[in-house]
Amino acid sequence: MKKKGLLLLGLFLVLTSCGEYQKVLKSEEPGVKYTMAEKLYNQAKEENSKAKFRKALRLLEQIVPQYRGKPQGEKLAFLYADSYFELKDSYNAGYQFERFTQSYPNSDKVEEAAFKSAKSYYFLSPRYDLDQTETVKAIDELQKYIDAYPNGEYLEEANVLAADLRVKLEKKAYEIAKQYHHTTNYKSAIVAFNNFITEYPGSPFREAAFYYRFDSAYKLAINSYQYLMKERLETAKGFYNNYQKYYPEGSVYYNQLQTDFQDLDTRLQNF
């Protein structure tokens, strides 16, 4: 009986709370909405409650424009952007935090807003094989934060996120070059791998790029007309020497590389 009474009491409180929220939502008083929105936001933070963030956001959507330019406007603008961030609405969070940093450059929340704006764009970055416009935007925003706050609270995380996005761009460029190789478009593969090696000197895909550049040149040479073969074999030999310079014996492609080079060298000697 006691347990049933507690359940009924809880249900009553929930219904009362819902009724109060609906009343405030329909109210014409921005001050009442301000108070409840702030209360719900703080509760949502403490409880990690998505439902309360959504409720706070509905109220904030109504009153943020009314407080723009007023003393409370700064606080509301931050709560508004952060509610989107907590709800993982990365597009709106990034945009609203960006507006916040522009509107309130002297705020004590501006560093946090700058980082969360950049992080929101990070979450919008798609898979490496899709268009990477959002990835480039995210890197730019993270770099802005890093440059503006060289000793910032979020500097370490910003560097990690930016590095992760750069690897994604590198992987896309590498896979495009590799696709040329795998479809026997060796001329395009050589150009693409040359560009990759120049543009991404510290990439984790660099050794593979050196190998596939050589392999593309080697296969292009041995499948060429006789009058083109010698020059192309010499080009491939140059790429072999480049690979050997940076990745000596023991590298993952070493055995296959040596087999192909022996064949290449024999062909050159025959000329």
Side-chain angles (χ1 to χ4, degrees):
M1 195 72 178
K2 184 178 179 181
K3 187 176 181 181
K4 185 177 179 182
L6 289 172
L7 287 172
L8 289 172
L9 177 61
L11 180 61
F12 173 76
L13 290 173
V14 168
L15 291 173
T16 303
S17 174
C18 289
E20 182 186 1
Y21 174 75
Q22 291 299 324
K23 185 178 178 181
V24 172
L25 196 63
K26 295 173 184 176
S27 171
E28 298 295 326
E29 295 293 329
V32 175
K33 293 183 179 183
Y34 178 104
T35 301
M36 177 164 276
E38 185 179 17
K39 177 183 176 183
L40 285 167
Y41 171 86
N42 290 332
Q43 288 176 346
K45 276 283 191 183
E46 289 174 9
E47 301 167 17
N48 191 27
S49 169
K50 302 300 181 188
K52 288 186 177 178
F53 274 121
R54 282 190 285 270
K55 283 186 173 183
L57 187 59
R58 287 187 68 190
L59 292 168
L60 290 165
E61 285 172 341
Q62 293 181 357
I63 60 174
V64 163
Q66 298 176 51
Y67 281 96
R68 198 163 285 136
K70 296 179 180 180
Q72 304 97 322
E74 177 186 329
K75 183 173 187 178
L76 282 177
F78 183 85
L79 299 188
Y80 187 45
D82 202 41
S83 294
Y84 277 124
F85 185 82
E86 293 291 343
L87 289 168
K88 299 189 181 346
D89 185 342
S90 298
Y91 181 83
N92 281 313
Y95 174 71
Q96 292 300 333
F97 274 127
E98 199 168 1
R99 287 191 66 182
F100 180 89
T101 59
Q102 293 167 356
S103 302
Y104 305 102
N106 298 317
S107 170
D108 59 359
K109 289 285 192 178
V110 73
E111 182 192 341
E112 182 180 352
F115 173 70
K116 286 185 172 180
S117 175
K119 191 172 183 179
S120 296
Y121 288 116
Y122 169 86
F123 288 131
L124 290 172
S125 173
R127 297 194 321 258
Y128 79 88
D129 55 329
L130 299 177
D131 180 78
Q132 294 300 304
T133 301
E134 296 289 355
T135 302
V136 173
K137 167 74 172 173
I139 291 172
D140 287 344
E141 292 301 313
L142 286 162
Q143 194 59 52
K144 283 180 190 176
Y145 172 82
I146 291 165
D147 293 342
Y149 302 97
N151 299 306
E153 180 181 351
Y154 309 98
L155 182 65
E156 184 177 348
E157 186 177 358
N159 278 314
V160 169
L161 296 178
D164 182 52
L165 294 177
R166 290 190 186 101
V167 169
K168 187 182 289 188
L169 291 182
E170 292 166 14
K171 184 171 177 60
K172 183 177 180 70
Y174 168 73
E175 291 294 341
I176 288 171
K178 194 174 175 183
Q179 185 66 21
Y180 286 134
H181 172 274
H182 287 357
T183 54
T184 69
N185 187 351
Y186 297 125
K187 287 183 180 179
S188 295
I190 292 166
V191 171
F193 282 123
N194 275 333
N195 291 337
F196 180 88
I197 289 165
T198 301
E199 291 175 22
Y200 305 109
S203 172
F205 307 108
R206 192 166 185 260
E207 181 185 352
F210 268 88
Y211 169 73
Y212 281 114
R213 181 177 65 169
F214 160 76
D215 194 57
S216 297
Y218 165 68
K219 286 175 178 170
L220 177 66
I222 65 175
N223 289 290
S224 296
Y225 292 111
Q226 191 73 12
Y227 74 94
L228 294 172
M229 191 177 292
K230 184 173 187 294
E231 182 183 352
R232 289 178 174 178
L233 286 170
E234 287 172 344
T235 298
K237 184 175 181 178
F239 291 152
Y240 168 84
N241 291 333
N242 288 150
Y243 183 97
Q244 287 290 89
K245 177 181 176 182
Y246 293 103
Y247 305 100
E249 185 175 354
S251 59
V252 65
Y253 301 102
Y254 183 78
N255 291 335
Q256 184 60 49
L257 191 76
Q258 296 310 311
T259 300
D260 291 341
F261 180 71
Q262 286 170 15
D263 176 63
L264 180 155
D265 203 36
T266 299
R267 289 172 185 265
L268 274 176
Q269 289 175 30
N270 289 338
F271 278 98

